[in-house]
C-alpha cells in the first residue's frame, strides 16, 4: 500500500501507460494536479486542461512552475467547461473537477471529443464522484479506469493528518414570533423560527407528493425551489451562532463557507467589522478583487476568508488551520471539498453548525457517510 503522496503520484503515472482514459478520484491534499502534470509530461503531445473557472488557470500555472515543469505549458491550452465546445479536436484532455462535466450538453461535447480522438488520453480529476457521474463518463468511454483514495483512506494510511470534526447543534427559536410566512400573495402568518420551519417543510412535502402523483414538471420545480428556500432559511438561523463561534476562533487561520452572500457579510462584519467584509469571496466580486483576496490570505496579510459558492476547489490556499461550514447540502462532495481545505494543516479542525431535528440532520448524515466517526464529536458553543 502507499505510504507517501509521491508513491500515489508515481502509481497514477504508471496507470497512464496502460490506460488512456483515467479517472483519478483523490482526496484533496493528495496531489491530483501534480499527478496530472506528471502524466502530461509522460504522455507528451498537445493537451487541453478544462477548468471550472478562469481564475483556476493561475493555480495550474503556479503548479507547473513550482515543480519545474513550466516548459510543458508550450503544449497546454486552458478552457472553461462552458467553452468546451470551442476546443473539440484530436487532443489529449485533462478535466479538472470533472463533476462539472455532468450536464447533458457537456457530456455530448465529451462524446464529440471522443469521436475526434485518435490514440489520445483523457484524465478526469475529482475529490469524489457519485456512481451515476462515473457511469455518465463510462457510457461514452467504456474503458475508463478508476483509481480512488478517499479522505478516510488517506487519513488511515497517514497521508493526511487526523482531523477533529466538531458538530455544533443549533436550536430553532419557538418563542419569538418575529417572522412572517407567506402562504400566498394575500395570506400570511406571524411565526417563530420553529413555526416557519414547519410551514416551509409542509410546502416541500406537498409539492414533492404532487410531483410523484402527477409527474408534472411544474411540481418538481416548485418542490426544488421550496427545498432550496428551506435550506437557505436553516442557514440564516445559524448566523448568530456562527458569529459567536468565529469570534472564539479569531486567532486561527480560518475559512468559513457561508450559505449566502448576505450571511457571509453579516457573519464577517460581526466577527471583524470592516476587515471582515473585505474578506468575503463570492462571484459578484470582480475576478481581480478575488485574486487579491486570495493573495492576501496566502501571504498572511489576512487570516479569515468567508466564501460563498467558491474556494471549495481549484485554488491553493495556504496554512488553513480551521474550517467552518454553516450549511451543508445533500451531496457528499460538498463536505469532502470543504473539509479537504483544512487537511493540509498539522492539526486540522472542522466545525459544522446544524439545526437539530431538521433537514440539516439528513444533510449531516449524507456528508459523513463513510467517514471515520472516531474523529467526530458533538459539542456546544459554550464548551469552546
Amino acid at each position: 500500500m502507499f505510504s507517501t503522496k509521491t508513491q500515489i503520484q508515481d502509481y497514477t503515472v504508471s496507470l497512464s501507460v496502460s490506460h488512456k482514459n483515467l479517472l483519478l478520484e483523490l482526496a484533496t491534499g493528495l496531489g491530483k494536479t501534480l499527478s496530472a502534470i506528471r502524466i502530461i509530461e509522460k504522455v507528451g503531445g498537445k493537451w487541453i486542461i478544462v477548468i471550472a473557472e478562469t481564475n483556476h488557470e493561475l493555480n495550474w500555472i503556479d503548479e507547473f512552475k513550482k515543480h519545474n515543469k513550466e516548459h510543458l505549458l508550450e503544449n497546454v491550452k486552458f478552457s472553461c467547461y462552458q467553452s468546451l465546445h470551442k476546443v473539440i479536436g484530436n487532443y489529449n484532455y485533462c478535466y479538472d473537477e470533472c463533476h462539472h462535466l455532468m450536464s447533458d450538453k457537456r457530456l455530448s461535447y465529451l462524446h464529440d471529443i471522443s469521436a475526434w480522438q485518435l490514440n489520445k488520453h483523457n484524465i478526469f480529476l475529482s475529490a469524489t464522484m457519485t456512481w451515476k457521474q462515473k457511469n455518465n463518463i463510462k457510457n461514452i468511454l467504456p474503458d475508463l479506469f478508476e483509481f480512488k483514495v478517499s479522505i478516510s483512506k488517506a487519513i488511515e494510511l497517514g497521508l493526511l493528518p487526523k482531523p477533529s470534526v466538531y458538530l455544533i447543534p443549533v436550536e430553532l427559536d419557538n418563542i419569538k414570533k418575529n417572522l412572517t410566512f407567506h402562504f400566498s400573495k394575500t395570506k400570511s402568518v406571524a411565526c417563530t423560527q420553529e413555526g416557519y420551519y414547519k410551514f416551509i417543510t409542509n410546502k416541500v412535502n406537498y409539492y414533492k407528493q404532487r410531483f410523484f402523483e402527477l409527474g408534472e414538471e411544474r411540481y418538481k420545480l416548485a418542490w426544488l425551489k421550496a427545498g432550496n428556500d428551506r435550506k437557505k432559511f436553516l442557514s440564516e438561523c445559524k448566523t448568530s451562532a456562527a458569529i459567536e463561534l468565529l469570534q472564539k476562533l479569531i486567532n486561527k487561520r480560518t475559512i468559513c463557507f457561508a450559505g449566502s452572500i448576505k450571511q457571509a457579510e453579516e457573519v464577517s462584519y460581526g466577527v471583524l467589522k470592516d476587515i471582515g467584509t473585505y474578506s468575503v469571496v463570492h462571484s459578484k466580486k470582480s475576478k481581480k478583487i478575488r485574486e487579491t483576496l486570495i493573495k492576501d490570505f496566502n501571504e498572511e496579510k489576512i487570516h479569515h476568508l468567508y466564501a460563498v459558492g467558491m474556494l471549495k476547489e481549484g485554488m491553493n490556499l495556504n496554512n488553513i488551520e480551521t474550517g467552518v461550514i454553516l450549511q451543508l447540502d445533500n451531496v457528499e462532495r460538498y463536505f469532502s471539498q470543504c473539509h479537504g481545505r483544512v487537511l493540509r494543516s498539522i492539526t486540522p479542525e472542522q466545525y459544522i453548525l446544524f439545526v437539530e431535528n431538521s433537514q440539516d440532520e439528513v444533510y449531516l448524515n449524507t456528508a459523513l457517510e463513510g467517514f471515520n466517526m472516531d474523529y467526530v464529536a458533538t459539542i456546544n458553543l459554550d464548551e469552546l
Side-chain angles (χ1 to χ4, degrees), residues 177-196:
K177 291 189 175 182
N178 54 359
L179 298 174
T180 302
F181 185 84
H182 294 273
F183 296 98
S184 65
K185 291 181 180 179
T186 58
K187 185 180 178 182
S188 63
V189 63
C191 54
T192 63
Q193 285 183 341
E194 190 175 272
Y196 193 101

Side-chain angles (χ1 to χ4, degrees), residues 120-227:
K120 300 297 182 183
H121 285 69
N122 293 293
I123 309 170
F124 300 88
L125 306 178
S126 184
T128 180
M129 294 277 283
T130 66
W131 174 87
K132 183 178 179 181
Q133 289 170 335
K134 294 175 188 178
N135 234 36
N136 284 338
I137 299 175
K138 285 182 178 179
N139 287 338
I140 299 169
L141 302 170
D143 61 344
L144 180 72
F145 186 87
E146 304 171 40
F147 174 56
K148 176 178 179 177
V149 182
S150 67
I151 285 181
S152 293
K153 191 64 178 178
I155 294 170
E156 178 188 323
L157 293 172
L159 300 172
L160 294 176
K162 294 180 180 179
S164 296
V165 178
Y166 299 107
L167 311 181
I168 300 177
V170 176
E171 291 184 359
L172 293 177
D173 178 75
N174 63 357
I175 298 174
K176 299 176 185 175
K177 291 189 175 182
N178 54 359
L179 298 174
T180 302
F181 185 84
H182 294 273
F183 296 98
S184 65
K185 291 181 180 179
T186 58
K187 185 180 178 182
S188 63
V189 63
C191 54
T192 63
Q193 285 183 341
E194 190 175 272
Y196 193 101
Y197 177 76
K198 289 179 180 177
F199 287 134
I200 198 168
T201 297
N202 289 340
K203 188 175 181 180
V204 171
N205 292 337
Y206 169 77
Y207 286 125
K208 179 180 179 180
Q209 183 177 350
R210 294 297 285 170
F211 173 67
F212 285 141
E213 288 175 347
L214 302 175
E216 295 181 16
E217 187 70 13
R218 62 189 177 117
Y219 287 122
K220 180 181 179 181
L221 294 175
W223 166 30
L224 295 176
K225 181 182 183 304

Side-chain angles (χ1 to χ4, degrees), residues 20-149:
K20 287 188 166 50
N21 297 311
L22 189 57
L23 168 61
L24 302 182
E25 190 178 351
L26 303 178
T28 301
L30 293 184
K32 289 189 296 294
T33 303
L34 179 55
S35 290
I37 290 173
R38 291 183 56 190
I39 291 172
I40 288 171
E41 182 176 42
K42 178 74 174 179
V43 172
K46 294 189 178 297
W47 284 80
I48 306 292
I49 298 178
V50 189
I51 51 180
E53 301 174 28
T54 54
N55 57 337
H56 292 180
E57 179 178 342
L58 295 176
N59 183 60
W60 273 89
I61 291 172
D62 287 344
E63 285 293 303
F64 275 98
K65 291 178 179 178
K66 184 167 71 174
H67 299 288
N68 297 315
K69 308 293 185 184
E70 191 174 359
H71 61 282
L72 298 175
L73 288 169
E74 295 177 4
N75 290 312
V76 170
K77 180 178 179 179
F78 293 91
S79 171
C80 287
Y81 281 97
Q82 62 197 39
S83 301
L84 186 57
H85 60 288
K86 298 179 181 179
V87 291
I88 295 174
N90 188 28
Y91 308 107
N92 302 294
Y93 289 78
C94 175
Y95 299 90
D96 191 23
E97 308 296 350
C98 63
H99 44 272
H100 291 287
L101 189 61
M102 292 302 127
S103 71
D104 289 343
K105 182 175 286 188
R106 291 175 183 178
L107 286 168
S108 73
Y109 297 149
L110 176 61
H111 183 274
D112 293 343
I113 287 169
S114 68
W116 270 90
Q117 287 178 315
L118 180 63
N119 199 30
K120 300 297 182 183
H121 285 69
N122 293 293
I123 309 170
F124 300 88
L125 306 178
S126 184
T128 180
M129 294 277 283
T130 66
W131 174 87
K132 183 178 179 181
Q133 289 170 335
K134 294 175 188 178
N135 234 36
N136 284 338
I137 299 175
K138 285 182 178 179
N139 287 338
I140 299 169
L141 302 170
D143 61 344
L144 180 72
F145 186 87
E146 304 171 40
F147 174 56
K148 176 178 179 177
V149 182

